[in-house]
Amino acid sequence: MKIGVLVKQVASGESPLRIDTSGKWVVEESIDFTTNESDSYALEEALQIIERSGGAGEVVVISMCPAERTPKIIREALAKGGHRAIHIQEEAPYETDPFMVASIFAEALKDESFDLILSGLQSDDLGSGQTGVILGELLGMSTATLVMGVELQKGKLRVKRELESGWFQWVTLPFPACITIQSGLNQPRYPSLKGIMGAKKKEIKSIAKSDVKGSGTPMQEFSRMYTHKAEKRTEMIEGSTDQIVDRMIDIFKKNIKVI
Amino acid sequence: MDILVILEGANGAIHRISKEAVAAAQALGKDLNQKVSVLVFGKNSDNLSKEAASFKVDEVLLVEDDNLKSYSADAYAETVKQIVEKESPKFVLTGYSYLVRDFFPKVSARLQKPLITDVTGYKVEGSKTLFTKQVLHGKLTVDIETKVDGPVLVGFQSAAYSLDNLEKGSAKIRTAEVTLDSAQLKTTSEEPFQEESGGVDLTSADKIVSIGRGIGKEENIPMINDLAAALKAEIGASRPIVDSGWLPNSHQVGSSGQSVTPNLYLALGISGAIQHVVGMKGSKNIVAINRDPDAPIFEVADYGVVGDILEIVPKLTEALKNQ
């Protein structure tokens, strides 16, 4: 089984975010970049699928990002067990149209003939949640999203899809398939020391985004970025820990009346 | 056709999030002076089309086909694609449920038209209609502009529009046809099912102490149990806590878990991603403690503390015990 896994480098949840001079993106220098959370689960699932089928096969790590900041997450994915990597090198301004992102992946990956492509269900930065599905469509693969469980059957795949409020649905789809993974379906592994050493020797194929044909022009673009207004007037409680606790007790008693 | 809303059925009725999308479409229709139509599709969808006809819309399109009896991403996407090609709406709106998420991007791919997802609102500026969504862990907002002629596809975030604004009326129903080739339908689905929740019902709780990634490690959970006991509160959690296996699924609050409306919701170390907020913003009083002053949870909180929960919680528990 030949599996491709899309991993994206995104700003961590605790990164300080300042809007840049274009007014459409953030200042990248102050950002702490990390692997998109659901992509880590997708990589783990790919590694486990290969292990479950007796170790035969290949996991190819695929990422589109600027040349200078992606190798860290690619190396990490290779250290965890990915066999090789494809890095589509992007230049600023970064692509925010999910259809174009998927078109670039489709063009760059079409000759790989993957049996299965996995990605996280959405990125923590742009959150469009479409790239995996559109990529599958463009490559003529079957698709499923929000996957919380994977069963391999003869020539096909049975996956457990998450619906809202604790509901699920099993879906069966033929190979080749492109599925997007919901976080929580497995426990992503940490790279071993041996894995980290071994990763240095693994192949990373770099492709310039501008060399990928057929990417066209974006159909949607950020017009402006801003901080949203609070929905409520929030009373901020300040002071020493004791003062904060006293004020909270006061609020519980007098304002909310729960004690 | 001007604005078309794609409706989703759920247990024999129209899904709440689809009705919210109709409310959004009615507002957009007024602002742009455009008519709103809705699409119902399935097999034996009489109930759904009658319910749809009770909304204040121009017309209800009804598609019935044997291939739409149960969910198939390919059949659903192909149906919407063919109707959009035939009717040429300017906007195709839908409520972005976990089912719609599975097939709507396929419609975008097949039509080669833009899809904007998890939209919380729109802005009409001159001849342009921009759609608004949150990005970067919910900390920032963007207005998105489209660059194409023809339909723009939009998926609205759950609870972005209120059902209170859904206008009632009486619309006519028009039957429409699509051609679905069963050989082209790759996926098959089984009946949806609900997993055993394990008995924690947060929906009727008066007080909830809810924890997120900010509690740091599993070893800190007993401290939260003590606080909840002192406050006589139930314990809730955001998704990362459940994903890590620190608490069972049944404690999860948010779009994948329970939607709660307690008198007190005490959010500890929860950043406030929109998937969590939609499940708790109806709480009567929200108190949030987080060490990140920019955490979006503070936007919905009535009371906020920027601080370390590991320092504050033990003292708060002590103080509650002394009351």
Side-chain angles (χ1 to χ4, degrees):
Chain A
M1 171 112 45
K2 186 171 168 183
I3 307 178
V5 184
L6 307 186
V7 295
K8 185 174 187 184
Q9 193 168 45
V10 297
S12 74
E14 300 197 337
S15 287
L17 299 173
R18 278 185 296 125
I19 294 166
D20 70 12
T21 51
S22 76
K24 298 178 182 186
W25 192 238
V26 286
V27 177
E28 295 219 334
E29 282 70 31
S30 55
I31 290 179
D32 166 35
F33 284 103
T34 180
T35 305
N36 186 52
E37 185 171 20
S38 52
D39 297 348
S40 299
Y41 289 93
L43 172 66
E44 178 62 33
E45 199 59 24
L47 297 171
Q48 289 190 13
I49 288 170
I50 295 290
E51 285 161 8
R52 287 208 295 271
S53 38
E58 186 183 34
V59 173
V60 182
V61 176
I62 303 144
S63 191
M64 180 158 84
C65 243
E68 60 276 16
R69 63 170 160 87
T70 308
K72 188 178 137 218
I73 68 156
I74 290 181
R75 288 280 173 214
E76 191 180 299
L78 293 175
K80 287 180 177 183
H83 295 87
R84 62 184 169 93
I86 299 172
H87 176 195
I88 303 170
Q89 296 186 337
E90 206 181 4
E91 306 90 32
Y94 311 123
E95 193 47 66
T96 55
D97 179 349
F99 185 87
M100 269 195 65
V101 172
S103 304
I104 294 162
F105 277 128
E107 184 62 29
L109 302 179
K110 64 179 198 295
D111 295 333
E112 291 281 348
S113 304
F114 288 113
D115 300 301
L116 186 59
I117 295 178
L118 302 183
S119 65
L121 81 150
Q122 63 182 25
S123 60
D124 296 331
D125 53 359
L126 306 181
S128 71
Q130 306 170 32
T131 306
V133 181
I134 297 177
L135 173 61
E137 277 283 310
L138 295 174
L139 293 177
M141 303 167 100
S142 60
T143 67
T145 57
L146 284 138
V147 169
M148 284 295 281
V150 179
E151 282 180 14
L152 292 179
Q153 297 181 345
K154 204 169 180 200
K156 57 190 181 184
L157 206 55
R158 184 170 174 257
V159 300
K160 183 179 163 191
R161 289 198 63 241
E162 184 176 296
L163 301 169
E164 284 96 353
S165 311
W167 287 78
F168 297 89
Q169 182 169 36
W170 285 97
V171 170
T172 301
L173 56 169
F175 289 111
C178 187
I179 62 177
T180 75
I181 299 292
Q182 170 66 295
S183 61
L185 90 164
N186 53 38
Q187 290 283 342
R189 69 192 66 187
Y190 292 100
S192 65
L193 189 61
K194 192 173 157 224
I196 294 168
M197 298 309 288
K200 291 177 184 162
K201 293 190 215 93
K202 290 178 178 171
E203 179 201 355
I204 301 177
K205 179 178 163 194
S206 295
I207 306 171
K209 191 181 94 175
S210 49
D211 289 343
V212 180
K213 282 184 296 186
S215 53
T217 51
M219 298 193 288
Q220 55 177 293
E221 273 177 11
F222 290 177
S223 177
R224 61 180 87 91
M225 181 177 274
Y226 50 97
T227 45
H228 30 257
K229 285 194 227 63
E231 294 185 23
K232 285 180 177 174
R233 188 181 295 270
T234 307
E235 180 193 322
M236 297 306 291
I237 305 166
E238 289 163 352
S240 67
T241 302
D242 288 332
Q243 286 168 327
I244 287 168
V245 167
D246 287 348
R247 178 68 188 130
M248 287 182 75
I249 294 288
D250 202 44
I251 289 164
F252 288 171
K253 258 189 199 162
K254 292 178 188 152
N255 302 53
I256 312 183
K257 302 186 176 74
V258 284
I259 55 172
Chain B
M1 185 179 279
D2 292 335
I3 301 171
L4 177 65
V5 186
I6 312 301
L7 300 182
E8 172 188 351
N11 304 318
I14 294 170
H15 198 302
R16 172 190 50 79
I17 190 169
S18 286
K19 293 194 277 190
E20 292 168 3
V22 176
Q26 289 172 335
L28 181 65
K30 265 183 211 160
D31 285 345
L32 296 177
N33 197 21
Q34 292 189 3
K35 287 180 177 166
V36 177
S37 306
V38 297
L39 172 66
V40 172
F41 59 93
K43 183 70 192 165
N44 303 322
S45 310
D46 278 0
N47 287 350
L48 296 185
S49 54
K50 276 183 196 140
E51 188 184 352
S54 75
F55 305 146
K56 189 181 173 193
V57 293
D58 192 48
E59 64 173 349
V60 177
L61 259 66
L62 173 62
V63 174
E64 300 246 37
D65 192 294
D66 283 340
N67 288 306
L68 298 169
K69 214 181 287 174
S70 62
Y71 175 64
S72 152
D74 292 306
Y76 277 38
E78 191 58 25
T79 298
V80 175
K81 177 206 168 221
Q82 290 183 17
I83 292 294
V84 169
E85 281 179 335
K86 219 176 283 178
E87 306 285 339
S88 309
K90 297 179 182 76
F91 298 96
V92 185
L93 312 183
T94 187
Y96 219 48
S97 71
Y98 283 16
L99 180 121
V100 172
R101 253 160 237 268
D102 197 56
F103 77 86
F104 217 52
K106 296 170 95 77
V107 180
S108 169
R110 291 177 189 195
L111 290 169
Q112 307 221 348
K113 294 294 175 190
L115 165 59
I116 310 173
T117 54
D118 286 329
V119 165
T120 55
Y122 66 83
K123 288 174 185 162
V124 178
E125 294 179 0
S127 61
K128 289 182 193 167
T129 304
L130 307 177
F131 291 93
T132 302
K133 72 173 290 182
Q134 295 187 1
V135 293
L136 291 153
H137 303 274
K139 288 182 172 179
L140 292 167
T141 303
V142 287
D143 293 338
I144 295 178
E145 189 181 342
T146 52
K147 304 269 180 185
V148 291
D149 291 328
V152 172
L153 315 183
V154 178
F156 281 96
Q157 171 75 49
S158 174
Y161 282 79
S162 169
L163 284 188
D164 299 344
N165 300 328
L166 178 66
E167 293 183 63
K168 294 290 187 171
S170 172
K172 60 182 187 303
I173 298 171
R174 170 161 67 97
T175 307
E177 301 280 328
V178 293
T179 311
L180 299 175
D181 173 4
S182 53
Q184 298 294 318
L185 311 180
K186 295 185 185 126
T187 61
T188 55
S189 66
E190 298 162 41
E191 280 297 301
F193 64 97
Q194 195 164 25
E195 269 189 359
E196 278 299 318
S197 69
V200 185
D201 179 15
L202 300 176
T203 58
S204 54
D206 180 55
K207 286 164 278 187
I208 296 174
V209 172
S210 201
I211 53 172
R213 210 190 290 268
I215 75 154
K217 49 184 180 182
E218 192 172 8
E219 288 71 27
N220 293 326
I221 290 195
M223 181 199 293
I224 305 300
N225 292 337
D226 290 348
L227 172 64
L231 197 55
K232 299 188 180 64
E234 299 288 347
I235 296 181
S238 66
R239 181 160 196 123
I241 298 293
V242 172
D243 282 350
S244 305
W246 297 354
L247 285 175
N249 287 338
S250 56
H251 290 272
Q252 192 177 327
V253 174
S255 48
S256 321
Q258 304 186 50
S259 285
V260 301
T261 53
N263 192 11
L264 169 65
Y265 192 87
L266 179 54
L268 302 175
I270 292 177
S271 67
I274 196 154
Q275 293 83 353
H276 183 75
V277 169
V278 295
M280 51 65 81
K281 73 179 198 180
S283 304
K284 285 166 206 77
N285 296 283
I286 298 169
V287 182
I289 308 179
N290 200 296
R291 41 169 209 207
D292 178 4
D294 296 326
I297 192 75
F298 291 124
E299 288 161 31
V300 295
D302 299 280
Y303 302 94
V305 179
V306 176
D308 183 353
I309 53 179
L310 303 182
E311 255 176 50
I312 296 168
V313 166
K315 290 196 169 179
L316 183 61
T317 306
E318 272 315 301
L320 283 165
K321 283 183 184 161
N322 295 333
Q323 292 301 307

